[in-house]
Amino acid sequence: MKELIKELERKSVQIRKNILESIGINKKGHVGGSMSSADIVTALYFYKMKHNPAAPDCPDRDRLIFSKGHSVLAQYAALAEAGYFPREELKKTKTLGSILQGHPEIRTPGIEANTGSLGQGLSIGLGMALAARLDGLKYRVYVILGDGELAEGQIWEAVTAASNFKADNLIAIVDHNKVQATGPIDRHELGNIKARFEATGWETIEIDGHNMEEIVSALDAADEVNGRPTVIIAHTIKGKGVSFAENKAAYHNNGLTEEEYRQAVEELEKLHIEVEGR
Amino acid sequence: MNRADQRKAYGEELLSLARENENIVALDADLSASTMSCFLEAEYPERFFEMGIAEQNMVSTAAGLALCGKIPFVNSFAVFLTGRAYDQIRQGIALPGLNVKLVGSSSGLSDFGDGGTHQSIEDISIMRSLPNMTIIAPLDAVETRMAVREMVKYNGPVYLRLSRSELPVLTTEEYPFEIGKVRKITDGEDVTIFANGIMVSKALEAHSELKKRGISARIINVSTIKPLDVEMVRKYSADVRAVVTAEEHSIIGGLGSAVCEALSTEAVKIKRIGINDCFGQSADNYEELLEYYGLTVSEIVRSVEEII
């Protein structure tokens, strides 16, 4: 277990480096939400999910949907790392003709749905979960939601429906970084998120979304839930890993100057050394 | 004239196709007894998803089903499906070009009693602006059955527009239906009338009336509004003195607009008959509303005489 965790932590540093690479210098990029979800994405692609980059359309693969589509850089980072497309594509993110669009599109190998207009990914994931049942397949569908995104009414339509359909192959993960585009999410009070899911019949698990051990255990625990969907509420830090961007709405979607970029890379190098020393 | 219900024809055909193709599934938002998706539900409950009164979730769920190889038929009233769930259709279905079939029931003014909230005057306009979207508005129950069959063969998003009213049956199973092709109902030399839905039957009545007045009208059924059969629309407009369009929809963005766009480079006079940029309202019956908004035989006759 210890070795696994260390390996995943090592991987998550690489994922963060990949995110930086796709953001580049002096270009706009969703630093904050990509970094906050990086550890979760790492655990999904390199521990939990059954998937095969050589056969991305395999019918019984597990699926990951970034409902908070703007944070797809974290998914691109993992897909490149897993070998879905060459790493060189990361540098072309958001350029004309690139397979890596500003928000997820199925033209990208490994991307499962078009998302980005917030609030829709959980419903799409529900459709996939229902299809699994019809086809007698055992795959699971993971959907990463933003906490700010929970203001979208459609999320709660999907929450109710998933519970009605007893979709225990659907796992939502809330990247609860507490900051949305223009400031803290309490600018629009959401109430008790956990209680809202529980009231609708969901299994809820609350974790530190940067603690790899907790992420891994939560994902394993979700496998054991029967007859109802699971939500993992992951407390995270927006911009995690890049000190000057942490907890700052300003880095929700911001460019990095050359100076900032260098600093971010240095910090991740330090983190890498620290992980190796653990 | 024999009349038949498009909704019933749709529901029966969907069930019949579902028996042959296990990938066909249906979703509804508490309107299955009206949209007639209830036929599929009764025989294949596991392939029918009651999504509650939550159209946005329904449409995105259909996207997920399509991404896993299912052929989802999404049912609601036209006004809610295209309006309430517009963004879900745009982002999740049209943009990736998913194989989802959207069935807008009780379209146009056909839900006469329920008033402006329930009458869709702009659904075609909204759907027509979406890249990748195919739009079919069949003229009767028989063409509806053929359209549903072709929709299943076609891989991509389709919006099917159905009436709540029993419409005159003008076609037979031998009538050739092909997505993207217009069909000639009558030939004529003076004017070409492009129509769809219930307005084809109105145009046909107008044809007799015009004949009495010495005017020969060619009537073309344009059940596929998108992609429009531009080549044939131009051909049928080239040898007449004028063109008239007739639709149970706003004159903005529907069939009339599509025909005008196709003929924008041609020297031809065009008159559009449709709902004149206003909302609907409640009435005792369907015909009363059609009359009120000028969707009538006499309006077609008047328009033809005026323009030629």
Side-chain angles (χ1 to χ4, degrees):
Chain A
M1 183 74 173
K2 205 173 163 208
E3 221 16 70
L4 165 74
I5 297 299
K6 189 168 169 178
E7 181 53 40
L8 289 172
E9 285 173 344
R10 207 180 277 138
K11 206 62 146 175
S12 75
V13 177
Q14 185 58 46
I15 295 304
R16 288 193 163 85
K17 286 182 184 169
N18 289 1
I19 293 170
L20 281 186
E21 198 171 330
S22 57
I23 290 171
I25 298 165
N26 290 326
K27 296 194 299 182
K28 282 234 166 197
H30 287 92
V31 188
S34 301
M35 291 296 183
S36 65
S37 53
D39 297 310
I40 297 159
V41 170
T42 303
L44 283 167
Y45 276 103
F46 302 101
Y47 168 67
K48 188 78 247 177
M49 294 203 309
K50 291 193 299 313
H51 67 111
N52 180 1
D57 296 327
C58 185
D60 66 351
R61 71 192 182 278
D62 289 333
R63 288 149 169 87
L64 172 61
I65 297 171
F66 253 80
S67 189
K68 47 173 296 192
H70 54 275
S71 302
V72 72
L73 298 181
Q75 196 172 9
Y76 292 162
L79 291 172
E81 201 59 27
Y84 281 82
F85 47 78
R87 304 185 49 85
E88 298 77 65
E89 294 294 331
L90 291 175
K91 281 193 169 48
K92 297 184 217 157
T93 304
K94 297 208 284 184
T95 60
L96 188 65
S98 170
I99 58 161
L100 304 182
Q101 293 291 297
H103 287 82
E105 290 199 19
I106 54 173
R107 67 167 89 175
T108 309
I111 293 292
E112 301 285 359
N114 287 34
T115 54
S117 178
L118 294 173
Q120 301 181 10
L122 189 59
S123 307
I124 297 173
L126 172 60
M128 292 177 173
L130 295 173
R133 189 177 296 175
L134 286 175
D135 291 336
L137 296 173
K138 295 288 178 207
Y139 64 81
R140 290 193 168 75
V141 185
Y142 297 90
V143 181
I144 299 185
L145 303 168
D147 50 4
E149 184 187 15
L150 297 181
E152 291 281 6
Q154 187 186 347
I155 295 281
W156 301 100
E157 293 182 1
V159 165
T160 312
S163 185
N164 289 340
F165 287 113
K166 304 185 185 347
D168 52 15
N169 51 349
L170 180 66
I171 295 106
I173 303 167
V174 178
D175 178 9
H176 195 6
N177 63 29
K178 291 140 198 112
V179 180
Q180 55 190 29
T182 60
I185 60 156
D186 59 14
R187 282 164 65 79
H188 177 83
E189 193 51 64
L190 289 163
N192 186 330
I193 294 169
K194 187 165 182 273
R196 289 178 73 179
F197 276 95
E198 273 169 357
T200 323
W202 284 56
E203 178 76 16
T204 61
I205 303 171
E206 207 160 358
I207 59 163
D208 172 352
H210 299 306
N211 181 319
M212 202 53 86
E213 231 173 303
E214 288 190 31
I215 298 170
V216 163
S217 327
L219 292 172
D220 285 346
D223 287 351
E224 306 304 319
V225 178
N226 286 314
R228 54 188 179 149
T230 299
V231 60
I232 298 169
I233 298 166
H235 292 273
T236 56
I237 292 168
K238 189 136 175 162
K240 172 74 175 176
V242 178
S243 63
F244 57 86
E246 286 187 0
N247 294 312
K248 295 221 177 67
Y251 286 88
H252 171 80
N253 181 20
N254 206 5
L256 298 177
T257 63
E258 207 170 334
E259 174 65 16
E260 284 176 324
Y261 190 88
R262 203 166 47 233
Q263 188 187 333
V265 171
E266 276 169 20
E267 288 183 11
L268 291 178
E269 289 299 345
K270 265 189 217 158
L271 185 61
H272 183 74
I273 294 163
E274 190 203 312
V275 168
E276 291 298 337
R278 276 177 202 170
Chain B
M1 211 179 289
N2 179 29
R3 287 175 173 264
D5 186 349
Q6 279 192 324
R7 295 177 301 170
K8 189 157 169 280
Y10 158 71
E12 288 172 355
E13 197 60 35
L14 181 63
L15 172 59
S16 148
L17 289 161
R19 287 178 183 139
E20 298 161 15
N21 186 337
E22 63 173 16
N23 283 325
I24 292 174
V25 298
L27 301 89
D28 211 309
D30 196 34
L31 288 168
S32 58
S34 174
T35 64
M36 303 297 172
S37 65
C38 56
F39 295 149
L40 188 144
E41 178 183 16
E43 192 163 320
Y44 297 107
E46 73 287 355
R47 283 157 64 187
F48 175 86
F49 301 102
E50 174 52 61
M51 303 305 293
I53 307 160
E55 294 78 11
Q56 300 178 352
N57 180 54
M58 172 168 69
V59 167
S60 299
T61 300
L65 285 159
L67 282 161
C68 296
K70 302 296 160 202
I71 307 173
F73 277 74
V74 187
N75 303 274
S76 186
F77 285 1
V79 71
F80 306 133
L81 189 58
T82 61
R84 188 61 171 258
Y86 168 74
D87 189 53
Q88 287 71 17
I89 294 172
R90 181 195 191 278
Q91 313 284 5
I93 292 170
L95 178 53
L98 297 188
N99 195 20
V100 174
K101 315 304 179 188
L102 303 158
V103 184
S105 214
S106 287
S107 67
L109 303 170
S110 65
D111 190 5
F112 54 85
D114 281 329
T117 54
H118 284 53
Q119 293 159 357
S120 66
I121 50 146
E122 79 286 33
D123 52 321
I124 291 173
S125 182
I126 295 170
M127 290 296 105
R128 205 164 71 84
S129 62
L130 289 174
N132 296 334
M133 188 60 73
T134 289
I135 305 168
I136 306 173
L139 70 94
D140 65 11
V142 179
E143 197 184 28
T144 299
R145 288 180 190 276
M146 292 186 276
V148 178
R149 288 201 290 272
E150 293 306 309
M151 281 164 71
V152 172
K153 289 184 204 155
Y154 170 77
N155 184 8
V158 179
Y159 174 59
L160 179 70
R161 184 188 214 234
L162 299 179
S163 176
R164 187 187 183 90
S165 182
E166 293 200 334
L167 300 184
V169 178
L170 304 176
T171 56
T172 64
E173 280 288 344
E174 285 71 47
Y175 175 87
F177 174 85
E178 205 180 322
I179 293 175
K181 297 285 179 217
V182 300
R183 289 295 164 199
K184 193 157 62 182
I185 304 284
T186 67
D187 212 351
E189 293 157 7
D190 298 317
V191 62
T192 294
I193 302 172
F194 294 105
N196 58 21
I198 190 170
M199 295 311 287
V200 178
S201 63
K202 302 279 180 198
L204 204 55
E205 282 185 61
H207 176 268
S208 316
E209 185 57 38
L210 287 164
K211 199 171 173 185
K212 285 183 211 159
R213 303 179 189 202
I215 298 168
S216 155
R218 175 191 288 142
I219 298 170
I220 305 297
N221 173 33
V222 193
S223 41
T224 309
I225 298 122
K226 187 178 182 179
L228 187 69
D229 190 350
V230 173
E231 190 191 337
M232 294 311 283
V233 166
R234 285 190 183 143
K235 181 167 177 268
Y236 288 137
S237 305
D239 57 355
V240 288
R241 285 145 68 194
V243 162
V244 170
T245 65
E247 62 191 312
E248 185 194 2
H249 184 275
S250 171
I251 56 163
I252 298 174
L255 171 65
S257 294
V259 168
C260 284
E261 287 159 19
L263 299 178
S264 62
T265 51
E266 317 295 309
V268 57
K269 288 186 290 180
I270 309 165
K271 165 80 180 167
R272 287 172 298 154
I273 296 171
I275 298 165
N276 204 2
D277 193 22
C278 58
F279 288 107
Q281 60 181 307
S282 290
D284 278 336
N285 61 63
Y286 187 32
E287 282 301 322
E288 190 182 9
L289 270 186
L290 293 173
E291 187 85 28
Y292 182 88
Y293 290 102
L295 305 177
T296 58
V297 175
S298 59
E299 180 61 20
I300 296 172
V301 171
R302 198 190 63 75
S303 296
V304 168
E305 287 188 318
E306 182 189 293
I307 197 169
I308 62 172

